Amino acid sequence: MNIQEEKAYKELAILEDRYPVLKAVHNEVWEAFSMMRDSFLKGGKLLLCGNGGSAADSDHIVGELMKSFCAKRKIKPELQSRLQELYGEEAEYFTKHLEQGLPAISFSSQTALHTAFSNDQDEALFYAQCLLGYGKKEDVLFGISTSGNAKNVGYALKLAKAMGIPSILLTGKDGGTGKDLADLSIIVPSGETYQIQELHLPIYHSLCLMLEQYFFG
């Protein structure tokens, strides 16, 4: 384990110290981190989808990844130099306020596309349509469904498999039908929807912290 991985692993240990019940998904959370890390290292991005509270969670994850979360994320030196070369003193404004992001897109935030597609086609395939347009093999699809049975998330997971895109499902209960569709399923130990959602948040916060520590810590 290298230094960056040790920093990430410490965040996982903090998660389990605060939420002992999540020790049950220790291996799955570490594997999810590893899948997303490898994707970003290859120039990929994280593609997220979910419904209701899980749609909000998808947007939340994007907000933590695309800007600084807990660590400073200065833009890359080569970009700073190019800005200085092009804009002189004004470059300081960019370098002072911009933060390096980890690329992530929430399908639930695509309102205009969603309404356009749903008006013309089967709405259940909307997340699959987003994956078809955005997805490439270097990416990771991250689906969130408390039951694991969300139809639109399931279709996206099926298409991901056909496109050769690795997939993660964050879920609960018994994992539903989605657990057999995703390459990796994180099934939190709860059967109540609101409790599942309560456990999802610390998991994805931890994953975002783990990634931030690996790339910027």
Side-chain angles (χ1 to χ4, degrees):
M1 188 177 290
N2 60 35
I3 294 174
Q4 293 106 312
E5 289 173 334
E6 288 178 358
K7 290 179 179 179
Y9 198 83
K10 285 181 181 178
E11 294 296 342
L12 178 55
I14 291 171
L15 171 69
E16 293 172 354
D17 184 57
R18 295 180 63 211
Y19 298 90
V21 69
L22 294 179
K23 290 180 180 179
V25 291
H26 172 97
N27 291 338
E28 289 83 356
V29 173
W30 182 255
E31 187 175 348
F33 156 74
S34 300
M35 289 172 66
M36 291 187 284
R37 174 204 60 198
D38 292 348
S39 171
F40 289 134
L41 287 172
K42 292 184 290 187
K45 56 191 177 293
L46 188 64
L47 302 171
L48 301 113
C49 60
N51 301 301
S54 297
D57 287 334
S58 298
D59 291 348
H60 190 161
I61 292 168
V62 171
E64 309 299 18
L65 291 177
M66 286 286 288
K67 58 174 287 299
S68 293
F69 186 12
C70 290
K72 291 187 179 296
R73 302 191 195 177
K74 292 184 178 180
I75 62 175
K76 295 178 180 179
E78 55 268 31
L79 179 55
Q80 293 185 35
S81 298
R82 182 59 175 157
L83 287 166
Q84 180 67 39
E85 178 185 328
L86 288 170
Y87 307 118
E89 292 182 1
E90 189 183 15
E92 185 179 351
Y93 178 73
F94 289 91
T95 57
K96 181 179 179 181
H97 297 290
L98 288 178
E99 302 169 330
Q100 197 69 44
L102 294 169
I105 299 172
S106 171
F107 294 164
S108 62
S109 66
Q110 311 289 299
T111 307
L113 175 59
H114 189 175
T115 54
F117 181 81
S118 300
N119 190 54
D120 297 334
Q121 302 295 341
D122 185 350
E123 186 175 17
L125 285 169
F126 173 67
Y127 287 155
Q129 179 66 36
C130 288
L131 183 67
L132 184 61
Y134 287 120
K136 58 181 182 178
K137 291 183 178 180
E138 294 80 10
D139 299 336
V140 170
L141 175 68
F142 194 107
I144 308 176
S145 170
T146 56
S147 67
N149 293 319
K151 193 174 181 181
N152 52 0
V153 174
Y155 282 138
L157 291 170
K158 287 182 177 181
L159 184 63
K161 191 174 294 293
M163 294 176 67
I165 296 172
S167 62
I168 299 167
L169 177 66
L170 181 58
T171 186
K173 299 184 180 179
D174 63 359
T177 57
K179 73 177 185 299
D180 296 321
L181 300 175
D183 294 315
L184 171 68
S185 293
I186 304 173
I187 306 173
V188 301
S190 178
E192 288 289 341
T193 298
Y194 77 92
Q195 292 178 1
I196 294 167
Q197 291 173 326
E198 288 173 355
L199 292 174
H200 280 181
L201 189 147
I203 286 176
Y204 68 69
H205 262 173
S206 182
L207 285 168
C208 291
L209 285 167
M210 292 164 74
L211 290 163
E212 185 172 68
Q213 283 298 314
Y214 183 87
F215 286 100
F216 305 105

